[in-house]
């Protein structure tokens, strides 16, 4: 919700009108928010040439899988490496003819149960010396780049409805909403700064929701012979297909790709240079994609910027070119340099003064510098009342005036957007613990403030 006389809808509508951006009308019976998803769908392929795969790659995956399992049907092997069974059946027959596997029994629907032989195991161990991967067949870097271009945030300009949906329930002043809206529409970098507790992280986390709901990414990549894990369950949220038979909008999907929610990846003080580079596991031979690759077509939030384990100078030097050129150069373990898309909304969030952290050359590459200011007293009052109503907490007459006079104005304490929520949460917990009705009276507010501000009680610059 916007804390002003102007509603969120009219505010965003005026924003788009100022920029001369038409607001698309939705088809009959369809809301505008439901018409912005990407149209890119990876269609199932029928030949190795179409999939940009070599038969030897598929053979290696099959043998390594069979070496690590007792036995498997052709359908199970196809499911494991995410290729159509009709594509791998000729490979299985050839491997049997070469005595690298044998038929252990019959499966269903003219399928066979396959088991690796000692000859096949020798080859599988040799393949494993390069890498131990025996999951999904990889997608070529060429096809990945084409997919990112097709799903780029530059091609998915948010509508008013999507912005309303993304920021629903978040109290922001009209000026802040306008600036953030412009930054999102541009799809370029955003620097959010200001005092802690004013919603910088909350704003950044909601930005991705203004773009289309989902994208498609490969499970693993083939970067010129090296296997790179791209799909990361800790960073990506898998979404179900539109039907249960492997179809998406009537199209048979290439299972080497996975449908995910547009990513929002957050890195904070733990960020190191290794997170920005391709890292290869020496034991498995499999490389891990850096955070900027995992966040393509989404949002990458650098939270608490300036407090990373790596120096600010290192981070700026690493990204100063990608931020301007919109592509990155990654170094593979082999020493080869690979050019990849740098296609995400980069958000730097900090409690520190940006001018003390970065130089002018870097700031120029972040088009939008936006301060999340403290709420005004009227905004604070409105938000406090809203939070009390949300949690069904009674707010007696005079209680809020007491809070503001005694705990903000008298000690010269700055108001923050997070304070109403946090103080009322203390009140709720106190009332529930004592078995009392939820009433934020003066005594309850005094008790909440005392424990909330703690040893910093009475200081002006409490954070």
């Amino acid at each position: 919700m916007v804390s002003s006389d102007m509603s969120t809808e009219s505010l965003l509508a005026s924003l788009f009108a100022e920029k001369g951006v038409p607001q698309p009308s939705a088809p009959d019976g369809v809301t505008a928010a439901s018409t912005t998803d990407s149209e890119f769908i990876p269609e199932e392929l029928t030949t190795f040439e179409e999939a940009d795969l070599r038969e030897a790659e598929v053979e290696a995956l099959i043998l390594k899988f069979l070496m690590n399992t007792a036995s498997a049907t052709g359908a199970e092997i196809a499911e494991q490496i995410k290729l159509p069974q009709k594509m791998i059946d000729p490979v299985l027959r050839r491997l049997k003819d070469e005595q690298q596997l044998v038929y252990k029994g019959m499966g269903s629907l003219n399928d066979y149960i396959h088991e690796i032989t000692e000859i096949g195991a020798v080859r599988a161990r040799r393949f494993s010396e390069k890498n131990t991967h025996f999951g999904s067949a990889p997608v070529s870097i060429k096809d990945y780049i084409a997919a990112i271009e097709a799903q780029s945030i530059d091609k998915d300009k948010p509508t008013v409805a999507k912005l309303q949906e993304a920021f629903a329930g978040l109290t922001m002043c009209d000026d802040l909403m306008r600036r953030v809206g412009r930054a999102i529409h541009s799809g370029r970098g955003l620097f959010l700064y200001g005092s802690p507790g004013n919603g910088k992280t909350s704003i950044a986390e909601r930005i991705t929701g203004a773009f289309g709901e989902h994208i498609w990414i490969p499970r693993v990549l083939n970067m010129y012979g090296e296997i790179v894990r791209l799909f990361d369950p800790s960073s990506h949220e898998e979404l179900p297909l539109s039907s249960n038979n492997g179809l998406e909008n009537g199209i048979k999907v290439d299972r080497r790709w996975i449908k995910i929610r547009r990513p929002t990846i957050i890195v904070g003080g733990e960020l190191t240079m290794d997170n920005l580079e391709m890292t290869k596991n020496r034991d498995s031979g499999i490389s891990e994609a850096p955070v900027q690759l995992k966040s393509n077509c989404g949002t990458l939030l650098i939270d608490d910027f300036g407090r990373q384990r790596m120096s600010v100078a290192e981070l700026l030097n690493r990204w100063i070119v990608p931020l301007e050129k919109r592509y990155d150069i990654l170094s593979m373990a082999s020493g080869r340099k690979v050019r990849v898309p740098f296609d995400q909304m980069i958000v730097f969030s900090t409690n520190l003064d940006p001018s003390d952290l970065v130089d002018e050359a870097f700031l120029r590459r972040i088009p939008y510098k936006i301060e999340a200011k403290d709420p005004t007293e009227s905004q604070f009052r409105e938000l406090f009342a809203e939070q009390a109503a949300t949690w069904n907490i009674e707010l007696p007459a005079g209680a809020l005036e007491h809070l503001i006079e005694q705990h903000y104005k008298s000690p010269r304490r700055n108001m923050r957007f997070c304070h109403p929520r946090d103080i009322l949460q203390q009140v709720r917990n106190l009332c529930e613990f004592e078995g009392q009705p939820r009433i934020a009276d003066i005594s309850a507010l005094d008790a909440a403030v005392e424990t909330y501000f703690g040893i910093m009680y009475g200081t002006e610059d409490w954070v």
Side-chain angles (χ1 to χ4, degrees):
M1 176 176 179
V2 177
S3 256
S4 70
D5 294 333
M6 182 179 288
S7 69
T8 304
E9 183 175 1
S10 60
L11 174 63
L12 294 172
S14 67
L15 162 64
F16 277 75
E18 289 173 8
K19 295 180 70 63
V21 179
Q23 299 175 37
S25 58
D28 293 340
V30 181
T31 63
S34 68
T35 62
T36 58
D37 288 345
S38 169
E39 295 180 357
F40 172 83
I41 300 176
E43 188 171 358
E44 183 178 84
L45 305 174
T46 57
T47 67
F48 294 134
E49 291 76 16
E50 289 177 338
D52 205 2
L53 283 168
R54 292 181 297 110
E55 190 170 317
E57 294 178 83
V58 178
E59 175 185 327
L61 291 173
I62 293 172
L63 291 176
K64 284 188 286 186
F65 174 54
L66 288 175
M67 184 178 67
N68 283 273
T69 190
S71 59
T73 64
E76 290 169 338
I77 295 171
E79 173 61 30
Q80 175 69 16
I81 65 176
K82 307 302 180 186
L83 291 175
Q85 186 174 352
K86 59 187 176 183
M87 187 186 292
I88 69 168
D89 275 344
V91 181
L92 292 172
R93 287 194 293 269
R94 178 176 58 78
L95 290 175
K96 178 183 179 299
D97 292 341
E98 295 173 354
Q99 300 183 354
Q100 298 188 60
L101 57 82
V102 295
Y103 293 158
K104 185 180 178 182
M106 287 292 296
S108 59
L109 299 175
N110 298 320
D111 197 1
Y112 295 94
I113 300 172
H114 303 81
E115 189 176 74
I116 197 168
T117 65
E118 183 55 38
I119 296 174
V122 170
R123 295 204 67 204
R125 285 190 287 269
R126 190 179 308 142
F127 287 133
S128 295
E129 291 175 358
K130 182 176 182 181
N131 69 73
T132 60
H133 175 70
F134 56 86
S136 170
V139 172
S140 70
I141 184 63
K142 172 176 63 68
D143 289 344
Y144 170 70
I145 291 173
I148 295 302
E149 291 176 352
Q151 303 174 103
S152 171
I153 57 175
D154 284 341
K155 296 185 177 181
D156 195 358
K157 299 300 184 182
T159 64
V160 171
K162 285 301 279 185
L163 286 170
Q164 284 180 262
E165 181 182 338
F167 290 97
L170 188 64
T171 300
M172 298 170 64
C173 66
D174 55 359
D175 182 59
L176 179 59
M177 176 65 83
R178 284 178 180 274
R179 294 184 182 186
V180 171
R182 291 190 183 101
I184 294 173
H185 191 77
S186 75
R188 291 297 185 259
L190 170 61
F191 217 126
L192 278 173
Y193 65 98
S195 301
N198 282 338
K200 297 185 300 298
T201 302
S202 297
I203 292 170
E205 289 175 339
R206 291 169 178 254
I207 285 175
T208 310
F211 299 101
E213 179 189 8
H214 69 264
I215 61 169
W216 295 84
I217 64 170
R219 299 172 188 272
V220 293
L221 288 170
N222 182 342
M223 284 194 174
Y224 301 102
E226 294 192 36
I227 296 295
V228 179
R229 187 175 77 112
L230 182 62
F231 173 66
D232 182 356
S234 66
S235 300
H236 300 135
E237 179 185 351
E238 182 177 1
L239 296 177
L241 300 182
S242 59
S243 64
N244 295 325
N245 55 359
L247 299 179
E248 180 74 10
N249 296 339
I251 297 174
K252 189 70 172 177
V253 172
D254 184 344
R255 294 178 298 157
R256 296 178 301 158
W257 297 74
I258 186 167
K259 180 183 176 182
I260 65 168
R261 193 176 304 281
R262 276 193 186 266
T264 299
I265 295 182
I266 303 174
V267 292
E270 78 284 358
L271 183 67
T272 65
M273 185 60 78
D274 285 345
N275 301 131
L276 308 181
E277 303 294 348
M278 203 76 72
T279 54
K280 188 171 185 176
N281 186 302
R282 293 183 179 179
D283 294 329
S284 68
I286 301 170
S287 296
E288 185 76 15
V291 292
Q292 64 269 30
L293 207 64
K294 293 179 180 180
S295 64
N296 270 335
C297 299
T299 301
L300 176 57
L301 168 60
I302 314 298
D303 208 7
D304 286 331
F305 181 60
R307 304 185 191 276
Q308 279 67 41
R309 294 169 61 186
M310 63 188 300
S311 70
V312 171
E314 283 183 293
L315 178 59
L316 303 189
N317 290 337
R318 175 65 183 81
W319 274 358
I320 196 165
V321 173
L323 281 168
E324 181 164 339
K325 301 296 186 182
R326 305 296 289 174
Y327 65 79
D328 194 12
I329 303 296
L330 297 177
S331 298
M332 307 299 297
S334 63
R336 181 166 188 158
K337 304 289 186 181
V338 181
R339 175 169 162 168
V340 296
F342 193 83
D343 189 287
Q344 62 283 103
M345 185 80 179
I346 296 282
V347 181
F348 296 90
S349 174
T350 183
N351 301 330
L352 308 175
D353 187 340
S355 61
D356 293 337
L357 293 173
V358 298
D359 58 21
E360 183 180 350
F362 185 79
L363 283 175
R364 181 173 59 83
R365 290 166 171 83
I366 308 295
Y368 293 87
K369 279 76 73 174
I370 301 174
E371 182 181 6
K373 298 180 180 179
D374 293 341
T376 64
E377 182 178 331
S378 63
Q379 290 171 341
F380 185 88
R381 288 176 178 274
E382 180 182 346
L383 182 56
F384 205 95
E386 287 176 356
Q387 292 288 339
T390 298
W391 288 345
N392 196 26
I393 298 176
E394 183 182 342
L395 190 59
L400 183 53
E401 285 70 18
H402 168 81
L403 174 70
I404 293 173
E405 291 294 331
Q406 296 299 316
H407 299 297
Y408 284 95
K409 291 184 177 179
S410 180
R412 295 185 300 167
R413 176 175 287 116
N414 292 328
M415 296 176 178
R416 304 283 193 253
F417 275 99
C418 68
H419 287 178
R421 176 201 63 202
D422 294 347
I423 292 173
L424 284 169
Q425 188 174 40
Q426 295 260 4
V427 170
R428 182 191 62 181
N429 293 339
L430 173 64
C431 293
E432 290 178 351
F433 173 73
E434 296 183 347
Q436 301 296 325
R438 292 185 180 183
I439 301 177
D441 56 20
I442 290 176
S443 61
L445 289 174
D446 286 344
V449 167
E450 183 178 5
T451 55
Y452 180 57
F453 291 117
I455 61 173
M456 303 304 293
Y457 186 90
T459 61
E460 181 180 0
D461 296 324
W462 181 85
V463 296

